[in-house]
Amino acid sequence: MGLLYKGIRGIIRLFSRQWETVWEEPYDGQLAVFCPNHAGAMGPISMCAHFELTDSCYSWMNNGMMEAKLVPAYVRQDYWWEPGCKMEPFYNATIPYIAAAIIPPILRSVPGVPVYHDNRVIKTFRRSIELLKEGKNLIIFTEQPSGHGESAAELNKGWLQIGPMAWRTMKVALNFYPVHIDLEKRRITVAKPVQYNPEVPLKEQEEGILNAIKEGISTGQFEDEQ
């Protein structure tokens, strides 16, 4: 954990109102993957600054936002401004390069796992297994960005390979926790986990896992049902 990250997190905590973490079921201390909704840039910030287990977690982070030369393309791809707005030419010429100067040093100081989208992806999984062996949990934002401040309804599923990998290397059946971040209520709601079943092929259980995560990250409704 870098000093830059510690400093920024401390400032965020100092100047933001108190958050709470609410669990549908008490956390059992077992190794876990927490899967929150993205909530724009504030989702990852909230998990790092306010999630009560943040000190035991490492976040998956897009490597394209960790290398300055790659950042401008990713900023434009993710639409950090309203497409077609009057200021778009100005934003397009400035924001990607400001982001390239500021964001990579911050992300490199965060306890995280670089996520690659090419044949280096094996490095992402290897690093994740190393951290799990050290007793660390993972935070994986499974939603696919789909435009300005939005995420696609469908979830990415490639990350689910961490389930069989953890079982093969550690004989650990990982728990996957759906997490709903509510920026307005300043609340992180953790739904009951769905566990990887090593006796069932991943292909046969991935739909059930993804559906449970999708439901849990959407609204955090279990609080209203109690």
Side-chain angles (χ1 to χ4, degrees):
M1 185 185 301
L3 291 177
L4 180 58
Y5 169 72
K6 288 182 178 179
I8 293 174
R9 187 178 69 172
I11 292 171
I12 293 172
R13 288 175 172 176
L14 180 64
F15 290 99
S16 61
R17 298 173 64 183
Q18 186 173 359
W19 280 60
E20 64 175 339
T21 301
V22 179
W23 299 81
E24 182 174 9
E25 295 181 354
Y27 175 58
D28 61 6
Q30 300 301 308
L31 287 175
V33 177
F34 295 99
C35 304
N37 57 308
H38 211 286
M42 292 307 298
I45 291 173
S46 299
M47 288 296 288
C48 289
H50 304 298
F51 181 42
E52 66 178 33
L53 296 183
T54 187
D55 288 338
S56 70
C57 294
Y58 276 65
S59 298
W60 275 26
M61 300 185 297
N62 191 337
N63 184 66
M65 293 300 293
M66 300 177 72
E67 297 184 28
K69 64 182 180 180
L70 301 178
V71 170
Y74 276 90
V75 170
R76 294 187 177 103
Q77 174 182 307
D78 288 345
Y79 292 102
W80 284 27
W81 53 84
E82 188 69 38
C85 67
K86 292 182 179 180
M87 294 292 289
E88 183 170 25
F90 174 75
Y91 292 152
N92 187 61
T94 57
I95 292 178
Y97 303 102
I98 294 172
I102 296 174
I103 293 178
I106 295 174
L107 293 185
R108 287 196 293 268
S109 73
V110 174
V113 180
V115 177
Y116 299 95
H117 301 283
D118 52 29
N119 57 11
R120 294 174 295 170
V121 69
I122 190 62
K123 296 172 64 175
T124 299
F125 286 102
R126 285 175 178 167
R127 180 56 179 155
S128 298
I129 293 298
E130 290 174 0
L131 291 167
L132 290 169
K133 288 180 177 179
E134 295 173 9
K136 303 297 184 182
N137 298 310
L138 300 174
I139 296 173
I140 301 178
F141 291 86
T142 63
E143 294 176 310
Q144 176 65 43
S146 59
H148 178 61
E150 298 178 355
S151 296
E154 295 303 315
L155 306 182
N156 293 318
K157 61 182 181 180
W159 62 274
L160 284 171
Q161 293 296 331
I162 196 68
M165 289 184 70
W167 179 255
R168 287 196 304 268
T169 58
M170 305 168 59
K171 290 297 183 281
V172 170
L174 287 174
N175 284 325
F176 301 116
Y177 282 88
V179 179
H180 177 70
I181 300 170
D182 190 319
L183 301 178
E184 183 177 346
K185 295 180 179 178
R186 299 181 301 281
R187 179 182 299 157
I188 296 171
T189 301
V190 187
K192 63 183 179 182
V194 55
Q195 188 174 53
Y196 170 75
N197 185 349
E199 298 182 0
V200 177
L202 177 61
K203 190 68 176 178
E204 296 180 14
Q205 57 182 305
E206 66 180 21
E207 183 177 358
I209 295 173
L210 292 174
N211 286 341
I213 292 172
K214 186 186 300 184
E215 181 178 355
I217 70 176
S218 60
T219 60
Q221 286 182 341
F222 78 83
E223 294 179 85
D224 299 326
E225 298 169 356
Q226 293 179 344

